[in-house]
Structures are given as C-alpha cells and as structure tokens.
Amino acid sequence: MFKHLLHGRFTLSGSVLAIFQKRETIPIEAFFFPLFLLIYDLMETLPKIYDKKSVALELEAGDHWWCACGLSGHQPMCDGNHKGTGFGPKKFTLAEKQKVWLCNCKNSKNPPFCDGSHKSL
C-alpha cells in the first residue's frame, strides 16, 4: 500500500517496492492496484443499500431491531445475517403502537428512521 504522498509523487511501501526494485520502469498498475484495494476495503465497511426509499410500517409498542447492514432477508428488521460483518442491529423502542418511516438505504443520520438521505445516493 502507499505509505504517503510526497510533493505530488507516490512513495511505494517496502513490500510493493521490493517487487519492482529490479525493473527499470514501474507499470502504472502498480500505482492503481493499491488504490483499488483501499477503495474495496472502504466499501466493505459501508452498509449495503437495500432500497433507495423508506418503508412505512405500523409497529406495535415495544422493542424492535432495525437492520443496519442491509443484508437481512426481512428488511427493514434484523434477521441475524450481519454476523461476521462488523455491523449490528439498531434497537429502538416504541411506547405505543404507531406508524413509522424506517430507513432502507442505511445512510440515515437518525437511524432507524428515514431522514431523506436516500435522495442524495
């Protein structure tokens, strides 16, 4: 991976540099592949967008568990498919039966409730 950026020139980490030390030129892929890995790693830390619109549900009073990873087969509620992803469900409690708009894009700033963030995705 890239250790740092100096004066607009890339500096390769020791492991990547060792591969190319005996070459006269370094192929352009050597610069882009680490960037690809970094982007891939970042994507793995983001929740999966289930849908780009919210869902309205009439829920009973009590505790509910909203899916924060986007992998549940019973959206928008958690079914345990997050195991091993680093994500966990978001618990929310309703004092009485009411209609709520729950986020399906998993990008709400007020989870589990929709705040319109899906409009900018």
Side-chain angles (χ1 to χ4, degrees), residues 12-84:
L12 296 175
S13 69
S15 59
V16 174
L17 186 59
I19 295 170
F20 298 105
Q21 274 181 336
K22 296 186 180 186
R23 297 179 71 122
E24 204 167 291
T25 60
I26 297 174
I28 194 70
E29 293 85 5
F31 294 106
F32 290 110
F33 187 68
L35 182 60
F36 166 77
L37 291 176
L38 176 63
I39 292 170
Y40 181 78
D41 286 345
L42 287 174
M43 289 175 61
E44 290 294 309
T45 63
L46 298 173
K48 178 181 179 253
I49 296 172
Y50 176 74
D51 199 351
K52 291 186 179 179
K53 59 182 181 266
S54 60
V55 61
L57 296 174
E58 185 82 26
L59 295 176
E60 297 294 328
D63 294 337
H64 302 276
W65 297 90
W66 173 76
C67 170
C69 69
L71 300 175
S72 173
H74 303 308
Q75 291 290 336
M77 300 306 182
C78 179
D79 67 359
N81 279 336
H82 62 273
K83 288 184 179 29

Coordinates of all heavy atoms in Angstrom, one line a residue, residues 12-84:
L12 N 6.1 4.2 -2.7 CA 5.5 2.8 -2.5 C 6.0 2.3 -1.2 O 7.1 2.6 -0.7 CB 6.0 1.9 -3.6 CG 5.5 2.2 -5.0 CD1 6.2 1.3 -6.0 CD2 4.0 2.1 -5.1
S13 N 5.2 1.4 -0.6 CA 5.6 0.7 0.6 C 6.7 -0.3 0.3 O 6.9 -0.6 -0.9 CB 4.4 0.0 1.3 OG 4.0 -1.1 0.4
G14 N 7.4 -0.7 1.3 CA 8.5 -1.6 1.1 C 8.1 -2.9 0.4 O 8.9 -3.3 -0.5
S15 N 7.0 -3.5 0.7 CA 6.6 -4.8 0.0 C 6.4 -4.6 -1.4 O 6.8 -5.4 -2.3 CB 5.4 -5.4 0.7 OG 4.3 -4.5 0.7
V16 N 5.7 -3.5 -1.8 CA 5.4 -3.3 -3.2 C 6.6 -2.9 -3.9 O 6.9 -3.3 -5.0 CB 4.3 -2.2 -3.4 CG1 4.1 -1.8 -4.8 CG2 3.0 -2.7 -2.7
L17 N 7.5 -2.0 -3.3 CA 8.7 -1.6 -3.9 C 9.6 -2.7 -4.2 O 10.3 -2.8 -5.2 CB 9.4 -0.5 -3.0 CG 10.6 0.2 -3.6 CD1 10.2 0.9 -4.9 CD2 11.2 1.1 -2.6
A18 N 9.7 -3.7 -3.3 CA 10.6 -4.8 -3.4 C 10.3 -5.6 -4.7 O 11.2 -6.1 -5.4 CB 10.5 -5.8 -2.2
I19 N 9.0 -5.7 -5.1 CA 8.6 -6.4 -6.3 C 9.2 -5.7 -7.5 O 9.6 -6.4 -8.5 CB 7.1 -6.5 -6.4 CG1 6.5 -7.3 -5.2 CG2 6.6 -7.0 -7.7 CD1 5.0 -7.2 -5.1
F20 N 9.3 -4.4 -7.5 CA 9.7 -3.7 -8.7 C 11.1 -3.1 -8.6 O 11.5 -2.4 -9.5 CB 8.7 -2.5 -8.9 CG 7.3 -3.0 -9.1 CD1 6.3 -2.9 -8.2 CD2 6.9 -3.6 -10.3 CE1 5.0 -3.3 -8.4 CE2 5.6 -4.1 -10.6 CZ 4.7 -3.9 -9.6
Q21 N 11.9 -3.5 -7.6 CA 13.2 -2.9 -7.5 C 14.1 -3.2 -8.7 O 14.9 -2.4 -9.1 CB 13.9 -3.4 -6.2 CG 13.5 -2.5 -5.0 CD 14.2 -3.0 -3.8 OE1 14.6 -4.2 -3.7 NE2 14.4 -2.1 -2.8
K22 N 14.0 -4.4 -9.2 CA 14.9 -4.8 -10.3 C 14.3 -4.4 -11.7 O 15.0 -4.7 -12.7 CB 15.1 -6.3 -10.2 CG 15.8 -6.7 -9.0 CD 16.1 -8.2 -8.9 CE 16.8 -8.5 -7.6 NZ 17.3 -9.8 -7.5
R23 N 13.2 -3.7 -11.7 CA 12.7 -3.2 -13.0 C 13.1 -1.8 -13.3 O 13.3 -1.0 -12.4 CB 11.2 -3.3 -13.0 CG 10.6 -4.7 -12.8 CD 9.1 -4.7 -12.8 NE 8.6 -4.3 -14.1 CZ 7.8 -5.1 -14.8 NH1 7.4 -6.2 -14.2 NH2 7.4 -4.7 -15.9
E24 N 13.3 -1.5 -14.5 CA 13.7 -0.2 -14.9 C 12.6 0.8 -14.8 O 12.7 1.9 -14.4 CB 14.3 -0.2 -16.3 CG 15.2 0.9 -16.6 CD 16.0 0.7 -17.9 OE1 16.8 -0.2 -17.9 OE2 15.7 1.5 -18.8
T25 N 11.4 0.3 -15.1 CA 10.2 1.2 -15.0 C 9.1 0.4 -14.2 O 9.1 -0.8 -14.2 CB 9.6 1.5 -16.4 OG1 9.2 0.3 -17.1 CG2 10.6 2.3 -17.3
I26 N 8.3 1.2 -13.6 CA 7.2 0.6 -12.8 C 5.9 0.8 -13.6 O 5.6 1.9 -13.9 CB 7.1 1.3 -11.4 CG1 8.4 1.1 -10.6 CG2 5.9 0.8 -10.6 CD1 8.4 1.8 -9.3
P27 N 5.2 -0.3 -13.8 CA 3.9 -0.2 -14.6 C 2.9 0.6 -13.8 O 2.9 0.6 -12.6 CB 3.5 -1.7 -14.8 CG 4.3 -2.5 -13.8 CD 5.5 -1.7 -13.4
I28 N 2.1 1.3 -14.6 CA 1.1 2.1 -14.0 C 0.1 1.4 -13.1 O -0.4 1.9 -12.1 CB 0.3 2.9 -15.1 CG1 -0.5 4.1 -14.5 CG2 -0.6 2.0 -15.9 CD1 0.3 5.2 -14.0
E29 N -0.1 0.1 -13.3 CA -1.0 -0.7 -12.5 C -0.4 -0.8 -11.0 O -1.2 -0.9 -10.1 CB -1.1 -2.1 -13.0 CG -1.8 -2.2 -14.3 CD -0.9 -2.0 -15.5 OE1 0.3 -1.9 -15.4 OE2 -1.4 -2.0 -16.6
A30 N 0.9 -0.6 -10.9 CA 1.5 -0.7 -9.5 C 0.9 0.5 -8.7 O 0.9 0.4 -7.5 CB 3.0 -0.6 -9.6
F31 N 0.6 1.6 -9.3 CA 0.1 2.7 -8.6 C -1.4 2.6 -8.3 O -1.9 3.0 -7.3 CB 0.3 4.0 -9.3 CG 1.8 4.3 -9.4 CD1 2.5 4.2 -10.6 CD2 2.5 4.8 -8.3 CE1 3.8 4.5 -10.7 CE2 3.8 5.1 -8.4 CZ 4.5 4.9 -9.6
F32 N -2.2 2.0 -9.3 CA -3.6 1.9 -9.1 C -4.1 0.7 -8.4 O -5.2 0.8 -7.7 CB -4.3 2.0 -10.5 CG -4.1 3.3 -11.1 CD1 -3.3 3.5 -12.2 CD2 -4.8 4.4 -10.6 CE1 -3.2 4.7 -12.8 CE2 -4.7 5.7 -11.2 CZ -3.9 5.8 -12.3
F33 N -3.4 -0.4 -8.4 CA -3.9 -1.6 -7.6 C -4.0 -1.3 -6.1 O -5.0 -1.6 -5.5 CB -3.0 -2.8 -7.9 CG -3.5 -4.0 -7.3 CD1 -4.7 -4.6 -7.8 CD2 -2.9 -4.7 -6.3 CE1 -5.2 -5.8 -7.3 CE2 -3.4 -5.8 -5.7 CZ -4.6 -6.4 -6.2
P34 N -3.0 -0.7 -5.5 CA -3.2 -0.4 -4.1 C -4.4 0.5 -3.8 O -5.1 0.4 -2.8 CB -1.9 0.3 -3.6 CG -0.9 -0.2 -4.6 CD -1.7 -0.4 -5.9
L35 N -4.6 1.5 -4.7 CA -5.8 2.4 -4.6 C -7.1 1.6 -4.7 O -8.0 1.8 -3.9 CB -5.7 3.5 -5.6 CG -6.8 4.5 -5.6 CD1 -6.8 5.2 -4.3 CD2 -6.7 5.5 -6.8
F36 N -7.1 0.6 -5.6 CA -8.3 -0.3 -5.8 C -8.5 -1.0 -4.5 O -9.7 -1.1 -4.0 CB -8.1 -1.2 -6.9 CG -9.0 -2.4 -6.9 CD1 -10.3 -2.2 -7.4 CD2 -8.7 -3.6 -6.5 CE1 -11.2 -3.2 -7.4 CE2 -9.6 -4.7 -6.5 CZ -10.9 -4.5 -6.9
L37 N -7.4 -1.6 -3.9 CA -7.6 -2.3 -2.6 C -8.1 -1.4 -1.5 O -9.0 -1.9 -0.7 CB -6.3 -2.9 -2.2 CG -5.7 -4.1 -3.1 CD1 -4.4 -4.5 -2.6 CD2 -6.7 -5.2 -3.1
L38 N -7.7 -0.2 -1.4 CA -8.1 0.8 -0.4 C -9.6 1.0 -0.6 O -10.4 1.0 0.4 CB -7.3 2.1 -0.5 CG -7.8 3.2 0.5 CD1 -7.6 2.7 1.9 CD2 -7.0 4.4 0.2
I39 N -10.1 1.3 -1.8 CA -11.5 1.5 -2.1 C -12.3 0.3 -1.8 O -13.4 0.4 -1.2 CB -11.7 2.0 -3.6 CG1 -11.0 3.3 -3.8 CG2 -13.1 2.0 -4.0 CD1 -10.9 3.7 -5.2
Y40 N -11.8 -0.9 -2.1 CA -12.5 -2.1 -1.8 C -12.7 -2.3 -0.3 O -13.8 -2.6 0.2 CB -11.8 -3.3 -2.4 CG -12.5 -4.6 -2.2 CD1 -13.6 -5.0 -2.9 CD2 -12.0 -5.5 -1.2 CE1 -14.2 -6.2 -2.7 CE2 -12.7 -6.7 -0.9 CZ -13.8 -7.0 -1.7 OH -14.4 -8.2 -1.5
D41 N -11.6 -2.0 0.4 CA -11.7 -2.1 1.9 C -12.7 -1.1 2.5 O -13.5 -1.5 3.4 CB -10.3 -1.8 2.5 CG -9.4 -3.0 2.4 OD1 -9.8 -4.1 2.0 OD2 -8.2 -2.7 2.6
L42 N -12.8 0.1 1.9 CA -13.8 1.1 2.4 C -15.2 0.6 2.1 O -16.1 0.8 2.9 CB -13.5 2.4 1.7 CG -12.3 3.2 2.2 CD1 -12.1 4.4 1.4 CD2 -12.5 3.6 3.7
M43 N -15.4 0.0 0.9 CA -16.7 -0.5 0.5 C -17.2 -1.6 1.5 O -18.4 -1.7 1.7 CB -16.7 -0.9 -0.9 CG -16.6 0.2 -1.9 SD -16.5 -0.4 -3.6 CE -18.0 -1.2 -3.8
E44 N -16.2 -2.4 1.9 CA -16.6 -3.5 2.8 C -17.0 -2.9 4.2 O -17.7 -3.6 5.0 CB -15.4 -4.4 3.0 CG -15.1 -5.2 1.8 CD -16.3 -6.2 1.5 OE1 -16.7 -6.9 2.3 OE2 -16.7 -6.2 0.3
T45 N -16.7 -1.7 4.5 CA -17.0 -1.1 5.8 C -18.3 -0.3 5.7 O -18.8 0.2 6.7 CB -15.9 -0.2 6.4 OG1 -15.8 0.9 5.5 CG2 -14.6 -1.0 6.5
L46 N -18.9 -0.2 4.5 CA -20.2 0.5 4.4 C -21.3 -0.5 4.4 O -21.2 -1.6 3.8 CB -20.2 1.3 3.1 CG -19.1 2.4 3.0 CD1 -19.1 3.0 1.6 CD2 -19.3 3.5 4.0
P47 N -22.5 -0.1 4.9 CA -23.7 -1.0 4.8 C -24.2 -1.1 3.4 O -24.0 -0.2 2.5 CB -24.7 -0.3 5.7 CG -24.3 1.1 5.7 CD -22.8 1.2 5.5
K48 N -24.8 -2.2 3.1 CA -25.4 -2.5 1.8 C -26.7 -1.7 1.7 O -27.5 -1.7 2.6 CB -25.7 -3.9 1.6 CG -26.3 -4.3 0.3 CD -26.6 -5.8 0.1 CE -27.2 -6.1 -1.2 NZ -28.6 -6.4 -1.0
I49 N -26.9 -0.9 0.6 CA -28.1 -0.2 0.4 C -29.2 -1.2 0.0 O -29.0 -1.8 -1.1 CB -27.9 0.9 -0.7 CG1 -26.9 1.9 -0.2 CG2 -29.3 1.5 -1.0 CD1 -26.6 3.0 -1.3
Y50 N -30.2 -1.4 0.8 CA -31.2 -2.3 0.4 C -32.2 -1.7 -0.6 O -32.6 -2.3 -1.5 CB -32.0 -2.7 1.7 CG -33.2 -3.6 1.4 CD1 -32.9 -5.0 1.0 CD2 -34.5 -3.2 1.4 CE1 -34.0 -5.8 0.7 CE2 -35.5 -4.0 1.1 CZ -35.3 -5.3 0.7 OH -36.3 -6.1 0.4
D51 N -32.6 -0.4 -0.4 CA -33.5 0.3 -1.2 C -33.3 1.8 -1.1 O -32.9 2.2 0.0 CB -35.0 -0.1 -0.9 CG -35.9 0.2 -2.0 OD1 -35.6 0.8 -3.0 OD2 -37.1 -0.2 -1.8
K52 N -33.6 2.5 -2.1 CA -33.4 4.0 -2.1 C -34.7 4.7 -1.8 O -34.9 5.8 -2.2 CB -32.8 4.5 -3.4 CG -31.3 4.0 -3.6 CD -30.7 4.6 -4.8 CE -29.3 4.2 -4.9 NZ -28.6 4.8 -6.1
K53 N -35.5 4.0 -1.0 CA -36.7 4.7 -0.4 C -37.0 4.1 0.9 O -36.6 3.0 1.2 CB -37.9 4.6 -1.4 CG -38.3 3.2 -1.8 CD -39.4 3.2 -2.8 CE -39.8 1.8 -3.1 NZ -39.2 1.2 -4.3
S54 N -37.7 4.8 1.7 CA -38.1 4.4 3.1 C -39.2 3.4 3.0 O -39.9 3.2 2.0 CB -38.4 5.5 4.0 OG -39.5 6.3 3.4
V55 N -39.6 2.8 4.1 CA -40.7 1.9 4.2 C -41.5 2.4 5.4 O -41.0 2.7 6.5 CB -40.3 0.5 4.3 CG1 -39.5 0.2 5.6 CG2 -41.5 -0.5 4.3
A56 N -42.9 2.5 5.2 CA -43.8 2.8 6.3 C -44.3 1.6 6.9 O -44.8 0.7 6.2 CB -44.9 3.7 5.8
L57 N -44.2 1.5 8.2 CA -44.7 0.3 8.9 C -45.6 0.7 10.1 O -45.2 1.7 10.8 CB -43.6 -0.6 9.4 CG -42.7 -1.2 8.4 CD1 -41.5 -1.9 9.1 CD2 -43.5 -2.2 7.5
E58 N -46.6 0.0 10.4 CA -47.4 0.2 11.6 C -46.8 -0.8 12.6 O -47.0 -2.1 12.4 CB -48.9 -0.1 11.3 CG -49.8 0.2 12.5 CD -50.2 1.6 12.7 OE1 -50.1 2.4 11.7 OE2 -50.5 2.0 13.8
L59 N -46.1 -0.4 13.7 CA -45.5 -1.3 14.6 C -46.1 -1.2 16.0 O -46.6 -0.2 16.4 CB -44.0 -0.9 14.7 CG -43.1 -1.1 13.5 CD1 -41.7 -0.6 13.7 CD2 -43.1 -2.5 13.0
E60 N -46.1 -2.3 16.6 CA -46.6 -2.4 18.0 C -45.7 -1.8 19.0 O -44.5 -1.6 18.7 CB -46.8 -3.9 18.4 CG -47.8 -4.7 17.5 CD -49.3 -4.2 17.7 OE1 -49.6 -3.7 18.8 OE2 -50.0 -4.2 16.7
A61 N -46.2 -1.5 20.1 CA -45.3 -0.9 21.2 C -44.3 -2.0 21.6 O -44.6 -3.2 21.5 CB -46.2 -0.5 22.4
G62 N -43.1 -1.5 22.0 CA -42.1 -2.5 22.5 C -40.8 -2.3 21.8 O -40.6 -1.3 21.0
D63 N -39.9 -3.3 21.9 CA -38.6 -3.2 21.3 C -38.6 -3.8 19.9 O -39.2 -4.8 19.7 CB -37.6 -4.0 22.2 CG -37.3 -3.4 23.5 OD1 -37.5 -2.1 23.7 OD2 -36.9 -4.1 24.5
H64 N -37.8 -3.1 19.1 CA -37.7 -3.6 17.7 C -36.2 -3.5 17.3 O -35.5 -2.7 17.8 CB -38.5 -2.7 16.7 CG -40.0 -2.7 17.1 ND1 -40.8 -3.7 16.6 CD2 -40.7 -1.9 17.8 CE1 -42.0 -3.5 17.1 NE2 -42.0 -2.4 17.8
W65 N -35.7 -4.3 16.4 CA -34.3 -4.4 16.0 C -34.3 -4.1 14.5 O -34.6 -4.9 13.6 CB -33.7 -5.7 16.3 CG -33.7 -6.0 17.8 CD1 -34.7 -6.6 18.5 CD2 -32.7 -5.6 18.7 NE1 -34.3 -6.6 19.8 CE2 -33.1 -6.0 20.0 CE3 -31.5 -4.9 18.5 CZ2 -32.3 -5.8 21.1 CZ3 -30.7 -4.7 19.7 CH2 -31.2 -5.1 20.9
W66 N -33.7 -2.9 14.1 CA -33.6 -2.5 12.7 C -32.3 -3.0 12.1 O -31.3 -2.9 12.8 CB -33.7 -1.0 12.7 CG -33.4 -0.3 11.4 CD1 -34.3 -0.2 10.3 CD2 -32.2 0.4 11.0 NE1 -33.7 0.5 9.3 CE2 -32.4 0.8 9.7 CE3 -31.0 0.7 11.6 CZ2 -31.4 1.6 9.0 CZ3 -30.0 1.4 10.9 CH2 -30.3 1.8 9.6
C67 N -32.3 -3.5 10.9 CA -31.2 -4.0 10.2 C -30.3 -2.8 9.8 O -30.7 -1.9 9.0 CB -31.6 -4.7 9.0 SG -30.2 -5.1 7.9
A68 N -29.0 -2.7 10.3 CA -28.1 -1.7 9.9 C -27.1 -2.1 8.8 O -26.5 -1.2 8.2 CB -27.3 -1.2 11.2
C69 N -27.1 -3.3 8.5 CA -26.1 -3.8 7.5 C -26.6 -3.9 6.1 O -25.9 -3.9 5.1 CB -25.5 -5.2 7.9 SG -26.7 -6.5 7.8
G70 N -27.9 -4.0 6.0 CA -28.6 -4.2 4.7 C -28.6 -5.6 4.1 O -29.1 -5.8 3.0
L71 N -28.2 -6.5 4.9 CA -28.2 -7.9 4.5 C -29.3 -8.8 4.9 O -29.5 -9.9 4.5 CB -26.9 -8.6 4.9 CG -25.6 -7.9 4.5 CD1 -24.4 -8.6 5.1 CD2 -25.5 -8.0 2.9
S72 N -30.2 -8.3 5.8 CA -31.3 -9.0 6.3 C -32.3 -9.4 5.2 O -32.5 -8.7 4.2 CB -32.1 -8.2 7.3 OG -33.3 -8.9 7.7
G73 N -32.8 -10.6 5.3 CA -33.8 -11.1 4.3 C -35.2 -10.6 4.7 O -36.2 -10.9 4.0
H74 N -35.3 -10.0 5.9 CA -36.6 -9.5 6.4 C -36.5 -8.0 6.6 O -36.9 -7.5 7.7 CB -37.0 -10.2 7.7 CG -37.1 -11.7 7.6 ND1 -37.8 -12.3 6.6 CD2 -36.5 -12.7 8.3 CE1 -37.6 -13.6 6.7 NE2 -36.8 -13.9 7.7
Q75 N -36.1 -7.3 5.6 CA -35.9 -5.8 5.7 C -37.2 -5.1 6.1 O -38.3 -5.6 5.7 CB -35.4 -5.2 4.4 CG -34.0 -5.6 4.0 CD -33.0 -4.9 4.9 OE1 -33.3 -3.9 5.5 NE2 -31.9 -5.5 5.1
P76 N -37.2 -4.1 6.9 CA -36.1 -3.4 7.4 C -35.6 -3.9 8.8 O -34.7 -3.3 9.4 CB -36.6 -2.0 7.5 CG -38.0 -2.1 7.9 CD -38.5 -3.4 7.2
M77 N -36.1 -5.1 9.2 CA -35.8 -5.6 10.5 C -34.6 -6.6 10.4 O -34.4 -7.2 9.4 CB -37.0 -6.3 11.2 CG -38.1 -5.4 11.4 SD -37.6 -3.9 12.3 CE -39.2 -3.1 12.5
C78 N -33.9 -6.8 11.5 CA -32.7 -7.7 11.5 C -33.1 -9.1 11.6 O -34.1 -9.5 12.3 CB -31.9 -7.3 12.7 SG -30.4 -8.4 12.9
D79 N -32.4 -10.0 10.9 CA -32.6 -11.4 11.0 C -31.3 -12.2 11.3 O -31.3 -13.4 11.2 CB -33.2 -12.0 9.7 CG -32.3 -11.9 8.5 OD1 -31.2 -11.4 8.6 OD2 -32.7 -12.4 7.4
G80 N -30.3 -11.4 11.7 CA -29.0 -12.0 12.1 C -28.0 -12.2 11.0 O -26.9 -12.7 11.2
N81 N -28.3 -11.8 9.7 CA -27.4 -12.0 8.6 C -26.1 -11.1 8.7 O -25.2 -11.2 7.9 CB -28.1 -11.8 7.3 CG -28.8 -13.0 6.8 OD1 -28.5 -14.1 7.2 ND2 -29.8 -12.8 6.0
H82 N -26.1 -10.2 9.7 CA -25.0 -9.3 9.9 C -23.8 -10.0 10.5 O -22.7 -9.5 10.5 CB -25.4 -8.1 10.7 CG -25.8 -8.5 12.1 ND1 -27.1 -8.9 12.4 CD2 -25.0 -8.7 13.3 CE1 -27.1 -9.2 13.7 NE2 -25.9 -9.1 14.2
K83 N -23.9 -11.2 11.0 CA -22.9 -11.9 11.7 C -21.6 -12.0 10.9 O -21.6 -12.4 9.8 CB -23.3 -13.3 12.2 CG -24.3 -13.2 13.3 CD -24.7 -14.6 13.8 CE -25.7 -14.6 14.9 NZ -26.6 -13.5 15.0
G84 N -20.5 -11.5 11.5 CA -19.2 -11.5 10.8 C -18.9 -10.3 9.9 O -17.9 -10.2 9.3

